[in-house]
């Protein structure tokens, strides 16, 4: 994926604010969630904590991996086409919602915003 797509995700997720925290507890510039971090630590044999997600370099490493590698793996496992839209849908709403065809309005808006900036 192009770097400008990751930059667009950062802008939409947090406005580039490293200390951003969502109501759901997602943290940092790419708004990493606990399940995504657990996945990252498992696959990459690391032990980052949610507090580490306030470090922009670490947060970006996790977010880029999740959006660029892990989500494509999950899309393939579920036989879902690997498109930018599907990656963003899974990133924002979760792979479960994507596989069930549930596209919340917030996620549709999110996809539009990210694509308009990339």
């Amino acid at each position: 994926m192009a770097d400008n797509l990751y930059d667009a995700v950062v802008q939409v997720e947090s406005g580039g604010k490293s200390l951003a925290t969502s109501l759901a507890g997602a943290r940092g510039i790419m708004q990493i969630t606990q399940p995504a971090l657990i996945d990252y630590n498992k696959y990459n044999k690391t032990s980052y904590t949610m507090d580490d997600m306030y470090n922009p370099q670490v947060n970006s490493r996790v977010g880029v991996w999740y959006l660029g590698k892990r989500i494509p793996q999950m899309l393939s496992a579920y036989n879902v086409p690997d498109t930018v839209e599907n990656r963003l849908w899974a990133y924002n709403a979760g792979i479960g919602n994507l596989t069930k065809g549930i596209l919340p309005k917030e996620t549709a808006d999110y996809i539009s915003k990210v694509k308009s900036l990339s």
Side-chain angles (χ1 to χ4, degrees), residues 35-96:
L37 180 58
I38 289 168
D39 224 12
Y40 181 88
N41 282 333
K42 176 183 165 192
Y43 278 85
N44 294 281
K45 298 181 182 4
T46 54
S47 55
Y48 291 125
T49 66
M50 284 302 287
D51 285 343
D52 292 323
M53 295 305 98
Y54 291 127
N55 177 318
Q57 289 77 25
V58 175
N59 187 286
S60 180
R61 187 176 309 129
V62 174
V64 167
W65 173 84
Y66 198 72
L67 189 57
K69 184 170 184 179
R70 183 64 179 133
I71 288 175
Q73 289 171 340
M74 290 187 283
L75 294 174
S76 177
Y78 286 106
N79 256 348
V80 175
D82 183 4
T83 64
V84 169
E85 291 81 4
N86 284 344
R87 286 189 192 196
L88 293 172
W89 184 349
Y91 192 84
N92 184 262
I95 193 75

Side-chain angles (χ1 to χ4, degrees), residues 9-44:
V9 167
V10 167
Q11 286 309 306
V12 174
E13 289 287 352
S14 68
K17 295 179 181 89
S18 62
L19 297 179
T21 304
S22 75
L23 293 176
R27 295 184 180 181
I29 60 171
M30 292 188 77
Q31 291 293 279
I32 303 302
T33 62
Q34 183 76 38
L37 180 58
I38 289 168
D39 224 12
Y40 181 88
N41 282 333
K42 176 183 165 192
Y43 278 85
N44 294 281

Side-chain angles (χ1 to χ4, degrees), residues 5 8-9 12 84-85 88 109-118:
L5 185 63
V9 167
V12 174
V84 169
E85 291 81 4
L88 293 172
D109 293 346
Y110 172 83
I111 293 168
S112 293
K113 287 177 191 171
V114 171
K115 288 182 71 177
S116 74
L117 292 173
S118 61

